[in-house]
Amino acid sequence: MPVSAPRIELGTHDVANQPVPRAGRDLWSEDLMLQDHATAHGAQLSSLAMAGASYGAAEQFEAAAEARRDPPRLQLFDRAGRRLDEVAFNPGYHRMMDVAKSCGYASVAWEGRPGGHVTHAAQVYMLAQVEPGVCCPMTMTYAAIPALAADDRLSADWRPKLLSRSYDPSLRPVAHKAGATLGMAMTEKQGGSDVRANTTRALPDGDHYRLTGHKWFCSAPMSDGFLTLAQAPGGLTCFLVPRWLEGERNGIRLQRLKDKLGNQANASSEIEYVDALAYRLGDEGAGVRTIIEMVHHTRLDTAMAPAGLMRAAITEAHWWVQGRSAFQRRLIDQPLMRAVLADLALDTEGTLALGLMMAAAFDRADDDSRALARIGVALAKYLGNKRCIPVIGEAMEVLGGMGYVEETPMPMLYREAPLNGIWEGSGNVICLDILRTLAREPRAGEVLAAVLDEARGGDRRYDAALEAHRARWPGLPPEAQARWYAESLATLLTAASLIRHAPAPVAEGYVTGRIAGDRGSLPGSVADIDTDAILARLG
């Protein structure tokens, strides 16, 4: 009988030169950038410490991954053919919604304590690093509060439920729930951003209205109600449409869920109003004026979310290069790699700094601060989202082939990167809105100029760039130059925020790379920045 050869263990699956995967992290205590800027703008620090630990826990990252692996499913009918018009979510989605509600994402800005909007904005930044799909319904719930102020009775009925820190996904009227969320349904396929072209009709019916029409985008269709626009006898009007009535569903028919590039844990849908009961918010014909407060506040969140996405990407890249070696050197010790990461970190911190600066303007009640918030949040949204896509693409490249693998967060972050630049006004819409605001509200331009001037003297190159901007555009630019103008103004405003509130190496590095022009056109093509000091802020 032949004797078998001895078995040799080759060890082909021994793992070397691979960082140990992280289960979770504290999104507050490990983020020096966030701590510095949140403190400078008066945030509620203990609240953020609690939220950062909660959002970054290992079980929340796993819940988020489950929600993406098992995306929302449309359930139009029950087995007997009765309409359901519901969306089923993975339990991980509900766990994420619950932690966001309990941490006060949607409510902290309205609870009467100082620094509420800054605290909210910092939560947007943190939650976007874990599961951006949950940010959508939470943001709309937060942003609906000022729009509801147009009707005292509706505000009294809905505000306490929206501000509750209890998450209640049950299917019943809002009066019987522990907490509620609110969505939005404005866009129609023939109009897009031109909401005045909406064709949905609203007919008076006693103390309410009945709506009939189709909405091309309804965000978060499992919300308890929706703010929507429809043509009433007196013109385009804002309405609150509850999803459930006493004893029956309202006439809201789900048509389909959108098959989106990203934001996959969140359901976005087309809906049809079929004689749906609705309550008017504000006067007939004043729909845009009523809902603009909601849009204004959602824009704050679309300015903050890209900072969170960039932070998540660069944190992953930084962790990777600390645990990888090539050519006998750790990647983090290689000068070119440090230059790339430091350059990306400047965009990340600049976007964070400007977003929290604008959130602080939301917290102040004076007219000048409101004027600053109106123009500044549009500038922040425009620049931050234009920076987001290349930053995340470069951070993905740092991981090499591994960055293209779904087991890392990089593909999710990359798919997410364009979203906030599209939501609540894409690039051209925002730039034209900036010009309209400066033309119609001269005070906004005056307050913005004062903020830019306050940073003078901190860096002579900033001073020269500010003068050059004003010399090039002594007034408003022609429409075709609106993007150049907005980019220049937003970059200066970001630099002003960093000069006032960031360590000198960060402010000087941003001015070097974004204003002085002493660089190439691609990320990492920059010299004379303090890479050690900048990278130290990544933890």
Side-chain angles (χ1 to χ4, degrees):
M1 187 174 183
V3 178
S4 299
R7 184 177 179 181
I8 300 174
E9 295 288 348
L10 297 179
T12 59
H13 288 284
D14 290 343
V15 177
N17 201 25
Q18 287 270 5
V20 176
R22 298 173 300 169
R25 58 186 180 274
D26 191 319
L27 300 178
W28 169 256
S29 69
E30 297 177 22
D31 193 334
L32 294 177
M33 296 180 187
L34 178 58
Q35 291 174 36
D36 284 356
H37 293 285
T39 301
H41 292 296
Q44 299 165 21
L45 304 186
S46 60
S47 175
L48 290 179
M50 180 271 293
S54 297
Y55 290 149
E59 56 266 29
Q60 298 309 327
F61 276 99
E62 180 55 33
E66 290 176 8
R68 292 190 293 271
R69 285 193 292 263
D70 179 20
R73 300 179 304 281
L74 184 61
Q75 296 179 327
L76 287 180
F77 302 95
D78 69 12
R79 59 180 289 178
R82 299 179 184 88
R83 289 203 71 104
L84 290 177
D85 293 292
E86 294 175 10
V87 179
F89 293 91
N90 181 279
Y93 175 86
H94 292 297
R95 289 200 297 274
M96 292 299 301
M97 289 286 287
D98 183 60
V99 75
K101 260 286 198 176
S102 65
C103 287
Y105 181 116
S107 57
V108 70
W110 312 111
E111 292 173 342
R113 290 173 291 165
H117 286 284
V118 176
T119 306
H120 161 78
Q123 287 208 35
V124 175
Y125 166 84
M126 290 192 289
L127 187 56
Q129 298 176 49
V130 184
E131 181 38 61
V134 176
C135 292
C136 176
M138 288 290 103
T139 283
M140 290 186 297
T141 302
Y142 150 78
I145 297 299
L148 285 174
D151 187 287
D152 291 341
R153 181 177 61 85
L154 288 174
S155 184
D157 290 342
W158 283 80
R159 181 184 169 104
K161 305 293 185 176
L162 299 178
L163 297 187
S164 168
R165 293 200 177 200
S166 296
Y167 173 58
D168 183 352
S170 62
L171 304 175
R172 50 184 172 170
V174 70
H176 304 300
K177 299 189 67 167
T181 60
L182 206 62
M184 183 191 298
M186 290 200 298
T187 305
E188 296 183 6
K189 53 181 174 284
Q190 78 282 352
S193 296
D194 184 9
V195 294
R196 296 187 186 277
N198 283 7
T199 61
T200 298
R201 296 293 169 184
L203 297 179
D205 183 11
D207 66 348
H208 53 266
Y209 288 70
R210 293 288 177 174
L211 271 55
T212 300
H214 177 265
K215 294 294 181 180
W216 184 241
F217 262 100
C218 173
S219 296
M222 287 296 98
S223 300
D224 295 288
F226 308 95
L227 292 190
T228 197
L229 295 175
Q231 299 288 354
L236 190 65
T237 304
C238 183
F239 294 93
L240 172 59
V241 187
R243 187 159 66 92
W244 275 85
L245 309 177
E246 289 292 342
E248 63 178 342
R249 303 170 192 272
N250 203 357
I252 304 171
R253 303 288 184 255
L254 301 186
Q255 302 296 304
R256 62 171 173 165
L257 298 184
K258 298 291 191 181
D259 187 7
K260 300 171 294 183
L261 170 67
N263 210 241
Q264 293 168 347
N266 176 44
S268 300
S269 65
E270 287 179 45
I271 66 169
E272 187 177 28
Y273 293 130
V274 182
D275 203 30
L277 184 146
Y279 298 100
R280 192 183 76 211
L281 264 177
D283 297 331
E284 284 194 5
V288 173
R289 186 167 66 249
T290 302
I291 209 167
I292 198 67
E293 279 298 313
M294 183 176 190
V295 173
H296 183 44
H297 286 75
T298 55
R299 280 186 177 176
L300 173 62
D301 287 17
T302 59
M304 286 305 309
L309 297 175
M310 286 188 274
R311 173 69 193 195
I314 196 171
T315 298
E316 190 74 14
H318 189 237
W319 163 80
W320 179 261
V321 298
Q322 290 180 94
R324 289 279 285 179
S325 297
F327 309 111
Q328 291 76 55
R329 287 190 299 174
R330 286 196 313 158
L331 294 181
I332 188 59
D333 297 328
Q334 300 184 17
L336 185 55
M337 180 62 75
R338 297 180 69 80
V340 170
L341 289 176
D343 202 15
L344 301 181
L346 292 173
D347 281 327
T348 304
E349 183 157 358
T351 304
L352 170 65
L354 183 55
L356 291 184
M357 184 186 201
M358 291 305 106
F362 278 71
D363 274 322
R364 300 189 294 269
D366 60 282
D367 290 342
D368 282 357
S369 295
R370 287 181 61 84
L372 176 62
R374 175 74 178 88
I375 186 65
V377 77
L379 290 166
K381 169 178 161 51
Y382 179 69
L383 184 63
N385 284 290
K386 293 304 178 190
R387 298 291 193 196
C388 186
I389 298 172
V391 166
I392 292 177
E394 286 287 343
M396 178 186 288
E397 189 174 322
V398 167
L399 273 67
M402 195 62 195
Y404 210 65
V405 174
E406 293 286 353
E407 288 174 294
T408 77
M410 293 309 208
M412 179 274 286
L413 295 170
Y414 193 69
R415 287 191 295 267
E416 223 38 68
L419 174 59
N420 293 282
I422 295 170
W423 190 27
E424 298 302 7
S426 55
N428 283 1
V429 171
I430 293 297
C431 289
L432 295 175
D433 188 51
I434 289 167
L435 298 190
R436 280 193 298 271
T437 298
L438 293 172
R440 296 175 183 176
E441 302 178 31
R443 188 58 185 154
E446 295 167 3
V447 174
L448 179 60
V451 171
L452 293 170
D453 283 335
E454 286 175 3
R456 292 172 69 98
D459 190 309
R460 58 179 178 74
R461 300 167 299 169
Y462 167 84
D463 299 347
L466 181 58
E467 291 302 319
H469 172 91
R470 289 169 172 171
R472 181 178 296 279
W473 293 293
L476 294 179
E479 181 179 313
Q481 294 182 23
R483 281 191 171 223
W484 185 8
Y485 177 82
E487 178 184 348
S488 175
L489 199 54
T491 303
L492 287 166
L493 189 59
T494 302
S497 178
L498 293 173
I499 288 170
R500 293 180 61 189
H501 300 298
V506 174
E508 291 167 3
Y510 190 88
V511 172
T512 296
R514 308 298 180 269
I515 288 179
D518 187 17
R519 60 165 300 138
S521 62
L522 301 177
S525 305
V526 64
D528 299 324
I529 63 173
D530 190 341
T531 57
D532 291 346
I534 295 168
L535 292 177
R537 293 175 66 72
L538 295 179

